[in-house]
Amino acid sequence: MADEPGRGTDGSLEIGIERAHPARMYDYYLGGRTNFDPDREAAEAALAAFPTLRITAEENRGFLLRAVEHLARSGIRRFVDVGSGIPVAGRNTHDVAQAVRARARVLYVDNDPIVLAHAQALLTSGPRGRTAYLNADPRRPETIVEHPEFVRWVDSDEPVAMLLVAVLHFVADHQDPLDLLRRLTRRLPSGSRLVIAHVTGDYDPEGWAGLVRAYADAGITVRPRSRAEVAELLDGWDVEAPGVVPVSRWHPTAEPSAEPALVSCYGAVARKP
């Protein structure tokens, strides 16, 4: 999830590669190439504080894909991926959803111009499904839920899955993440699902304190939250089994899964009553 991009004198979106960006840092952790010197420098500082951060990123991505497959097999055909970040070839929400349900529809939401450029190039759907990209700020829910594209996406009684994976820890307490979630999900019909993943300092408070400082030095706010705080974000939702757990322990496909202390990220899937 990005800070709101600036605009040039011609009204075009400015890329802003002169400073680190969370999505590009995440891309660097995953071994991608869509990152620049400020991103790599900030990412290396974060890795120095928490050396297993690459494992966190990989396990987080794995959780996202497993959750999407689970929901598609459960009958969900509409997905909204908020703060979707830079695409990873063959490992995106629509790749998994449409492999299960060819007519699945996926709306990607982010507000970074680089994400937009890559989304338009890489997030192509199969012949029967559909993907779309919405340039909007996740921290300003009305820019999403009032947008005509989003309204068309959810304008029925059919359940929708909203994904906020590695997004909410960039929302500070004073920005009220619980209220933000309520505003983002208010249009979703009953039976919809919410998928979240959120970093935590529960397992290594000192390491995560250093990581928070590294991100702050790059001008990025990160707010790790405890398991209880993450569970509180799901107030009013019915959390599916196995509950709020480390992402590596959410229906893992391989055993043994990564140790929670190496990952330090909780994940959960919840149903709207």
Side-chain angles (χ1 to χ4, degrees):
M1 182 172 65
D3 289 335
E4 185 177 12
R7 293 188 179 269
T9 56
D10 62 352
S12 61
L13 289 171
E14 295 179 335
I15 299 297
I17 62 173
E18 72 284 348
R19 61 175 180 167
H21 186 285
R24 299 195 299 262
M25 292 171 68
Y26 189 69
D27 177 73
Y28 179 73
Y29 301 142
L30 292 173
R33 298 183 178 180
T34 311
N35 48 75
F36 302 92
D37 285 343
D39 309 308
R40 294 188 282 271
E41 291 168 7
E44 286 296 336
L47 285 163
F50 193 75
T52 62
L53 197 51
R54 293 187 191 276
I55 297 176
T56 305
E58 283 287 353
E59 291 291 343
N60 183 73
R61 193 74 183 182
F63 163 72
L64 165 68
L65 301 181
R66 293 195 306 277
V68 169
E69 181 177 7
H70 164 75
L71 293 175
R73 293 192 184 282
S74 300
I76 298 294
R77 297 188 301 174
R78 299 186 184 200
F79 295 81
V80 180
D81 192 344
V82 179
S84 53
I86 294 166
V88 179
R91 298 179 62 200
N92 301 291
T93 298
H94 78 280
D95 294 309
V96 175
Q98 292 175 359
V100 177
R101 296 191 175 276
R103 296 186 183 276
R105 304 170 64 188
V106 180
L107 176 64
Y108 291 96
V109 181
D110 212 306
N111 70 326
D112 175 44
I114 289 182
V115 173
L116 173 60
H118 282 73
Q120 291 172 331
L122 296 177
L123 301 182
T124 55
S125 177
R128 290 186 291 169
R130 182 187 171 200
T131 61
Y133 182 90
L134 175 58
N135 185 39
D137 189 346
R139 289 166 304 187
R140 298 179 179 177
E142 281 65 37
T143 67
I144 298 173
V145 300
E146 301 296 341
H147 195 283
E149 184 72 30
F150 180 87
V151 173
R152 283 194 296 271
W153 219 257
V154 303
D155 188 21
S156 76
D157 293 331
E158 183 175 346
V160 176
M162 179 172 283
L163 317 176
L164 290 114
V165 176
V167 171
L168 294 172
H169 46 244
F170 294 114
V171 179
D173 289 342
H174 74 271
Q175 295 172 308
D176 198 345
L178 182 56
D179 179 65
L180 182 147
L181 266 179
R182 287 171 177 157
R183 290 155 63 196
L184 275 174
T185 59
R186 64 181 176 84
R187 283 186 178 270
L188 302 186
S190 175
S192 292
R193 307 302 205 278
L194 177 62
V195 181
I196 66 171
H198 197 299
V199 297
T200 183
D202 284 355
Y203 298 96
D204 184 358
E206 183 177 345
W208 275 91
L211 184 145
V212 168
R213 288 193 295 271
Y215 269 78
D217 288 344
I220 302 167
T221 298
V222 176
R223 168 63 162 90
R225 291 184 170 92
S226 68
R227 183 182 181 280
E229 289 174 313
V230 174
E232 186 178 350
L233 295 174
L234 298 171
D235 182 49
W237 294 73
D238 298 327
V239 180
E240 295 187 1
V244 179
V245 297
V247 290
S248 58
R249 299 293 170 86
W250 194 91
H251 298 299
T253 55
E255 293 291 351
S257 58
E259 289 297 321
L262 301 179
V263 181
S264 289
C265 185
Y266 290 119
V269 175
R271 183 183 185 278
K272 188 172 185 178

